[in-house]
């Protein structure tokens, strides 16, 4: 979850992906999240089987409680992401309304995963290091503590990239998508080709062009803000 989920979060934020189509990036984003979910499920099954074989109680520590909660909410996040943002059935107003929640919940789950990993490696050190104990700071403890610091730094960098406006996919890239599904973004091509006609026709054309422009802006806004 730490490595693959972070890749799914920043896949829209990498400048070299801005030249790719938005649909392609959606599939990559969804694919990475699916891989992370599959690996998380396999890991949880392995943990429960190991505990049962070793006669270790299940779900007794804070690490296990928060970890299971993160996986459950992540599965819900993945399901809603597929249903609302990937499949072409949800209306644009619904996507626009759910996008901030989708982004916030994704970042919250990632931060929870980092916290779960930190608790897990600390718990492992306390139980495993006996001679010398963890409090004696043996080399194993120093190594794992440094790993925990790197996890915190890595998580902070990912959250920073996901929250900075200048790392967002440029809006002009979505103009190509709008052109392929609904004509020119400005909606004024027909008006520029008319050189005569009554003033009423021109006024009606301007009204239609303005309505088309506003609709395209709504579509662009809904399709732009995506960071699962």
């Amino acid at each position: 979850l730490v490595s693959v989920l972070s890749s799914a979060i920043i896949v829209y934020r990498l400048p070299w992906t801005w030249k790719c189509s938005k649909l392609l990036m959606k599939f990559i984003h969804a694919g990475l999240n699916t891989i992370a979910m599959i690996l998380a499920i396999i890991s949880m099954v392995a943990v429960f089987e190991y505990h049962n074989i070793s006669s270790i109680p299940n779900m007794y520590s804070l690490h296990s409680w928060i970890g299971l909660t993160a996986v459950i909410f992540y599965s819900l996040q993945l399901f809603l992401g597929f249903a609302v943002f990937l499949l072409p059935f949800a209306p644009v107003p619904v996507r626009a309304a759910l996008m901030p929640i989708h982004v916030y919940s994704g970042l919250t789950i990632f931060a929870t995963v980092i916290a779960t990993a930190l608790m897990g490696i600390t718990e492992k050190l306390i139980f495993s290091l006996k001679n010398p104990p963890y409090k004696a700071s043996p080399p194993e403890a120093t190594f794992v503590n440094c790993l925990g610091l790197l996890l915190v730094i890595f998580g902070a960098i990912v959250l920073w990239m996901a929250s900075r406006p200048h790392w967002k996919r440029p809006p002009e890239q979505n103009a190509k998508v709008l052109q392929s599904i609904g004509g020119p973004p400005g909606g004024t091509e027909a008006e520029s080709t008319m050189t005569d006609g009554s003033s009423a026709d021109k006024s009606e054309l301007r009204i239609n062009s303005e309505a088309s422009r506003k609709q395209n802006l709504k579509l662009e806004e809904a399709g732009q803000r995506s960071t699962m």
Side-chain angles (χ1 to χ4, degrees):
L1 281 178
V2 173
S3 57
V4 184
L5 177 56
S6 62
S7 300
I9 289 175
I10 65 173
V11 69
Y12 289 111
R13 307 287 176 152
L14 303 176
W16 55 84
T17 66
W18 293 346
K19 297 180 181 180
C20 302
S21 68
K22 187 65 175 292
L23 183 61
L24 174 61
M25 300 315 300
K26 278 188 175 183
F27 279 112
I28 294 176
H29 178 73
L32 289 172
N33 278 286
T34 303
I35 293 174
M37 188 72 246
I38 293 174
L39 295 177
I41 293 175
I42 294 175
S43 301
M44 292 196 65
V45 171
V47 168
F48 276 102
E49 288 187 352
Y50 173 76
H51 279 198
N52 294 333
I53 293 174
S54 304
S55 299
I56 300 175
N58 291 309
M59 303 302 301
Y60 67 91
S61 65
L62 182 61
H63 163 71
S64 60
W65 285 23
I66 296 181
L68 182 60
T69 302
V71 172
I72 292 174
F73 277 99
Y74 186 48
S75 62
L76 295 176
Q77 170 89 344
L78 186 62
F79 173 77
L80 292 177
F82 270 104
V84 177
F85 300 104
L86 190 63
L87 300 179
F89 302 119
V92 172
V94 174
R95 296 188 180 195
L98 292 180
M99 179 58 68
I101 301 175
H102 179 73
V103 173
Y104 174 78
S105 59
L107 297 179
T108 302
I109 291 172
F110 176 71
T112 304
V113 167
I114 294 291
T116 303
L118 294 176
M119 288 184 289
I121 60 178
T122 303
E123 179 183 297
K124 184 65 175 178
L125 282 177
I126 293 175
F127 290 158
S128 299
L129 294 180
K130 300 298 183 181
N131 189 20
Y134 181 34
K135 62 182 179 180
S137 298
E140 295 88 349
T142 302
F143 173 79
V144 176
N145 287 345
C146 291
L147 175 62
L149 288 177
L150 291 177
L151 280 175
V152 172
I153 296 173
F154 176 75
I157 293 175
V158 171
L159 294 176
W160 182 82
M161 292 179 62
S163 60
R164 295 299 91 189
H166 60 272
W167 283 92
K168 288 184 178 180
R169 184 181 176 92
E172 59 268 16
Q173 296 296 328
N174 290 325
K176 298 178 181 179
V177 179
L178 292 174
Q179 287 179 353
S180 65
I181 64 175
T188 59
E189 182 180 352
E191 184 177 6
S192 64
T193 59
M194 295 186 64
T195 57
D196 56 2
S198 64
S199 58
D201 292 338
K202 291 182 179 179
S203 177
E204 182 180 357
L205 179 59
R206 284 194 296 270
I207 294 174
N208 292 335
S209 298
E210 181 66 17
S212 177
R213 185 184 68 84
K214 291 181 179 180
Q215 180 65 22
N216 283 330
L217 286 176
K218 292 180 181 179
L219 288 172
E220 181 178 353
E221 182 182 0
Q224 168 65 22
R225 296 175 296 166
S226 179
T227 306
M228 191 180 321

